[in-house]
Amino acid sequence: MNLIKRVGYFLVDVLGKVLGFLWRLTSLVFSKIYEFFLFIVGLDKEVDFFSNESRKFAVIISFAFIVFVVFFILVLAIFLTPSNITVVPNVVNNDILDALPEIEKAGLFVSVDYTISPDVPRGIIIKQIPSAGSRVREGKIIKLFVSIGSGEIVLPDFSGKTVDEVKSYLSSKGMRVNVEYVQSENSPSGSILKILPSPGTKIKPGDQVNIYVAIGSSSMPMPNIIDMSWDQVLLMFDSKNINVSITPVVTTDPEKDGKIVDQMPKEGDMVSPQMNVQAYVAVLGNEENVKNTKFLLYSLDLKPLYNTNTGKTNYFIVKVVVSDSSGQRAITKEYQELSKLTLPLKIQGIGNVKVYINDILVKESTL
């Protein structure tokens, strides 16, 4: 007990000394302020910093300063504390339809994220952010995670829907979609022949749905041409009698140079000879040079040119000389019988093409 008293006396003594020191320090500081004030107003007299007059002035100034600081803090608290603060209600384990009015009443907005939860009934809120009891501004968005149960649905009837619409719906439900194209002379190209499982079947996320789509004799599903070279693409679509336009885009990646980076239509869409396929090829260089670059398929029937300009022979050397702003280059082909010449060309600026058969110029074109 005596020890406790001694410790208490010691602490009181220390506190008294600290307060005394602070008092003397405050008196000294405000005495200096008082002296400066007298100097400003022109009263030239010696000031005793520790006189009763100086101490009284220091006390008055100290008190006024403390009052000012307290007043300033109160004003800041009043003006900086938002008045539109609300408390987030607890809606976890509530039905989403019951929770919405309660959240709106609190002046808050809602963002809903649906998630599969086999153990929680459909429509029940699993989690909320921010948590219940949080103090937030009115108008803040509260994110709710709502159960959709096991996610099982009954496959609807897709009559009259397009392949893209069906794929979009099934993907949004978490289903895996497989599209197969089937030759059909009796159904319009691109129409859905059947869907398996059939409409009315219960399916759950992760299940595969097979869509069988009709294609006509002249139609084909658009292949994936991304990362193919531009000349391969031109020759491939030419063999299918489908028009293709190639647009250059700037790249800084040498590995992408000359390769297709985008396509329209997208993979799986139906294309036919009446359609125009658009491909985008990456090209190294500045924007101006790339913009003036053309990719085209040069086609020429050689047989009429031989009959007109050359004598009869069983061996033909065809040389194509291409000139453009990048320079001149020659391509040579050998034929035992003249036929159609099909040549993918990359032209920068204005190009000139000369075709020779057995060193005889038979055709000159400007591209």
Side-chain angles (χ1 to χ4, degrees):
M1 189 69 179
N2 291 333
L3 179 61
I4 295 176
K5 285 184 178 181
R6 289 179 181 178
V7 172
Y9 291 147
F10 174 76
L11 292 177
V12 169
D13 182 57
V14 171
L15 181 61
K17 289 180 178 179
V18 170
L19 291 176
F21 171 76
L22 292 176
W23 171 254
R24 288 192 296 273
L25 180 63
T26 304
S27 299
L28 178 61
V29 170
F30 284 102
S31 294
K32 287 288 185 179
I33 295 175
Y34 178 53
E35 179 186 11
F36 180 73
F37 172 75
L38 293 177
F39 175 77
I40 292 297
V41 298
L43 297 177
D44 188 13
K45 68 175 185 176
E46 192 72 24
V47 178
D48 183 3
F49 297 149
F50 296 98
S51 66
N52 289 334
E53 183 181 359
S54 296
R55 288 176 179 274
K56 288 179 182 179
F57 181 77
V59 170
I60 294 172
I61 294 296
S62 300
F63 180 75
F65 179 74
I66 293 171
V67 170
F68 172 77
V69 170
V70 172
F71 177 76
F72 182 73
I73 292 173
L74 289 175
V75 170
L76 284 179
I78 292 172
F79 284 96
L80 295 182
T81 302
S83 59
N84 57 343
I85 293 296
T86 186
V87 178
V88 178
N90 183 12
V91 293
V92 174
N93 296 326
N94 291 355
D95 189 281
I96 180 65
L97 297 179
D98 297 331
L100 290 177
E102 187 176 354
I103 294 175
E104 291 175 1
K105 185 178 179 181
L108 303 170
F109 295 99
V110 174
S111 170
V112 179
D113 188 4
Y114 292 97
T115 181
I116 297 172
S117 181
D119 300 328
V120 180
R122 186 182 184 90
I124 299 299
I125 298 171
I126 302 171
K127 181 182 176 182
Q128 68 179 69
I129 299 176
S131 58
S134 301
R135 294 173 60 82
V136 298
R137 289 180 181 272
E138 291 183 4
K140 184 177 178 61
I141 296 177
I142 306 302
K143 189 169 186 178
L144 303 179
F145 296 85
V146 180
S147 170
I148 58 172
S150 63
E152 188 176 74
I153 64 168
V154 176
L155 197 64
D157 183 3
F158 292 108
S159 298
K161 301 294 184 181
T162 65
V163 177
D164 284 342
E165 289 173 334
V166 176
K167 287 171 62 178
S168 177
Y169 174 83
L170 294 173
S171 297
S172 69
K173 301 299 181 182
M175 311 302 168
R176 294 183 296 114
V177 182
N178 175 53
V179 180
E180 294 188 20
Y181 294 91
V182 180
Q183 291 283 349
S184 175
E185 299 293 338
N186 300 322
S187 300
S189 182
S191 61
I192 297 175
L193 297 175
K194 64 178 178 179
I195 296 177
L196 294 177
S198 56
T201 305
K202 288 185 177 181
I203 56 175
K204 61 183 182 298
D207 289 349
Q208 178 170 303
V209 178
N210 298 300
I211 305 174
Y212 297 88
V213 181
I215 57 173
S217 57
S218 60
S219 300
M220 60 172 281
M222 177 69 182
N224 180 14
I225 60 174
I226 304 298
D227 287 332
M228 290 180 62
S229 63
W230 62 271
D231 51 342
Q232 286 179 308
V233 171
L234 284 172
L235 292 172
M236 179 182 69
F237 283 106
D238 181 66
S239 67
K240 304 291 184 181
N241 293 319
I242 296 176
N243 300 321
V244 59
S245 299
I246 295 185
T247 301
V249 293
V250 178
T251 185
T252 56
D253 185 356
E255 293 185 0
K256 291 289 185 181
D257 186 34
K259 293 183 179 180
I260 305 300
V261 293
D262 199 4
Q263 66 180 70
M264 290 182 63
K266 60 181 180 295
E267 180 184 6
D269 287 353
M270 301 306 300
V271 292
S272 63
Q274 292 76 34
M275 294 180 61
N276 184 59
V277 171
Q278 183 71 52
Y280 297 86
V281 61
V283 180
L284 285 172
N286 59 54
E287 188 171 349
E288 187 64 28
N289 289 340
V290 171
K291 185 174 65 174
N292 293 325
T293 302
K294 299 186 288 285
F295 297 86
L296 51 89
L297 199 63
Y298 182 78
S299 297
L300 183 65
D301 189 357
L302 297 174
K303 195 169 184 179
L305 300 177
Y306 158 72
N307 291 335
T308 304
N309 297 284
T310 68
K312 187 174 181 180
T313 180
N314 294 323
Y315 185 73
F316 306 93
I317 297 177
V318 177
K319 183 169 70 172
V320 180
V321 179
V322 181
S323 304
D324 59 12
S325 60
S326 67
Q328 187 179 89
R329 54 202 178 276
I331 302 110
T332 302
K333 290 180 174 288
E334 298 179 359
Y335 294 85
Q336 289 187 345
E337 182 178 349
L338 290 176
S339 59
K340 183 180 179 181
L341 170 68
T342 302
L343 199 63
L345 294 179
K346 176 183 177 181
I347 304 293
Q348 288 187 340
I350 298 175
N352 179 267
V353 178
K354 295 180 180 179
V355 180
Y356 297 84
I357 299 178
N358 293 342
D359 293 328
I360 299 175
L361 178 63
V362 295
K363 182 72 174 180
E364 183 174 3
S365 306
T366 300
L367 303 176

